[in-house]
Amino acid sequence: MSTPGRLLDINRLALDKIETTADGGLKIGATVRNSDLAHHATVRRDYAVLSQAILAGASTQLRNMATTAGNLLQRTRCAYFRDTAMPCNKREPGTGCPAITGSNRTLAVLGTSEHCIATNPSDMCIAMAALEATVHVQGPKGSRAIPFGEFHLLPGNTPHRETVLEPGDLITHVTLPAPIKGSKQLYLKLRDRASYEFALASAAVVISITGQNVTRARIALGGVGTKPWRSQEAEAVLVGQPATGANFRRAAEAALRDAKPQSENGFKVELAKRCLTHALQMAVIG
Ligand SMILES: Cc1cc2nc3c(=O)[nH]c(=O)nc-3n(C[C@H](O)[C@H](O)[C@H](O)COP(=O)(O)OP(=O)(O)OC[C@H]3O[C@@H](n4cnc5c(N)ncnc54)[C@H](O)[C@@H]3O)c2cc1C
Ligand code: SF4
């Protein structure tokens, strides 16, 4: 939990615009509301996976208030992190991780460490990982652009550090590259109930097919990783191969090859494989 000495309201900064960029991509301001982003005509048409992912998250009321930057920085739903009566390395470094021997059904199987196994809870970020977004930051030392895959950190032995942001940094906007013409996109989210629930496993796929073969694939998984989980292993299995169910399953096997299940969440490994396989099939069917 954070106990800041001072809170700044950034709502009146002019960071609430969605604009096309000179290279044909999209610039999304940090305070753009999740609902506005999901329903934006360009996003629905060219970045459908992002629209679908946002609309799969939270509730209408929350999406109407939640911002792009806030969603990027939302913290884990691990119950011990939220219970200040419990130890937690993420909340209080060095106190331990009770989830490893305790309740871990919803927690991560990829990117974990002996110090933390918390899942990144975002849906929006999974789509942004597959779309190869860039996070733009302004800080005391100037501005910088951070490729999406480098923005969130693995827990390692510093689980309290979740991103590369430094004190004083402000996220100003996120950019998406120009859309890939003809790409098929899909976000599939599997959860305990059909709405208002975090993912047990999810998959964002952006795939291009020429003839029978996959020519380009960008894949990210949610609900299973300690950060939004881009799977270049799965992408490598697919590219150059026919777009068949058997190859989609092989890609899913590759994506989960390094999974380390805990006492209660072993089911996530197969669930995530089926989620990705099914997402690829649904994307291709169109
Ligand atoms: C009950 C519930 C269910 C939810 N379900 C889902 C779900 O299924 N899927 C999903 O993806 N999300 C879900 N969410 C998350 C929700 O969509 C919001 O993204 C999340 O709550 C963050 O809120 P916010 O955007 O208002 O950010 P805030 O709470 O305003 O900010 C979050 C953090 O980011 C910092 N911050 C904000 N803007 C900036 C900036 N420009 N630069 C630097 N730092 C900044 C803030 O200081 C704060 O530390 C859920 C949330 C709740 C409460
Ligand atoms: S998994 Fe991470 S957030 Fe959860 S108790 Fe362990 S250290 Fe804390």
Side-chain angles (χ1 to χ4, degrees):
M1 297 299 136
S2 301
T3 50
R6 187 187 293 179
L7 281 175
L8 297 179
D9 181 0
I10 61 169
N11 278 300
R12 276 173 288 170
L13 297 179
L15 300 174
D16 59 349
K17 305 276 185 307
I18 302 172
E19 299 159 296
T20 47
T21 57
D23 63 358
L26 204 65
K27 176 180 175 184
I28 305 161
T31 60
V32 169
R33 306 288 155 174
N34 281 180
S35 293
D36 293 335
L37 183 56
H39 293 297
H40 192 273
T42 307
V43 175
R44 287 166 59 108
R45 186 188 64 220
D46 295 335
Y47 305 98
V49 67
L50 179 59
S51 178
Q52 293 165 11
I54 292 171
L55 294 177
S59 64
T60 307
Q61 290 83 354
L62 284 162
R63 294 192 297 267
N64 287 345
M65 296 306 294
T67 61
T68 306
N71 195 311
L72 280 176
L73 295 174
Q74 67 171 295
R75 308 203 71 187
T76 184
R77 313 308 291 191
C78 174
Y80 301 105
F81 175 73
R82 307 235 162 211
D83 181 351
T84 53
M86 297 298 292
C88 167
N89 283 331
K90 190 183 278 297
R91 182 169 24 82
E92 280 181 63
T95 55
C97 175
I100 290 174
T101 51
S103 173
N104 52 48
R105 178 176 176 273
T106 61
L107 300 187
V109 294
L110 289 166
T112 56
S113 77
E114 60 183 306
H115 302 287
C116 182
I117 57 170
T119 324
N120 181 290
S122 175
D123 292 295
M124 183 195 81
C125 288
I126 310 308
M128 286 192 173
L131 290 167
E132 300 185 305
T134 301
V135 182
H136 298 261
V137 171
Q138 195 173 318
K141 295 179 200 151
S143 304
R144 63 194 198 280
I146 305 162
F148 203 81
E150 296 169 20
F151 181 75
H152 294 95
L153 297 172
L154 292 171
N157 56 14
T158 53
H160 56 288
R161 286 207 67 212
E162 296 181 341
T163 70
V164 295
L165 290 184
E166 299 287 346
D169 277 346
L170 175 78
I171 298 171
T172 52
H173 59 283
V174 174
T175 50
L176 302 179
I180 308 298
K181 282 205 172 58
S183 68
K184 296 166 183 294
Q185 305 184 12
L186 195 103
Y187 186 73
L188 178 63
K189 177 177 181 180
L190 304 181
R191 44 190 158 170
D192 279 329
R193 59 183 180 203
S195 78
Y196 202 25
E197 185 56 279
F198 292 91
L200 289 170
S202 71
V205 303
V206 182
I207 184 170
S208 305
I209 296 171
T210 306
Q212 303 294 312
N213 283 0
V214 177
T215 50
R216 186 182 185 280
R218 295 292 182 270
I219 288 171
L221 301 176
V224 287
T226 50
K227 59 183 266 186
W229 200 262
R230 169 100 178 257
S231 179
Q232 288 173 315
E233 297 84 357
E235 296 167 9
V237 167
L238 288 174
V239 173
Q241 299 300 316
T244 61
N247 283 334
F248 295 161
R249 176 71 195 191
R250 284 181 52 235
E253 297 282 351
L256 274 297
R257 189 165 296 140
D258 294 332
K260 287 199 181 72
Q262 305 294 328
S263 58
E264 296 178 348
N265 68 1
F267 74 97
K268 279 194 174 192
V269 179
E270 179 59 24
L271 190 72
K273 288 180 189 174
R274 293 185 190 193
C275 183
L276 176 53
T277 307
H278 198 54
L280 286 163
Q281 282 169 330
M282 288 167 66
V284 169
I285 291 165

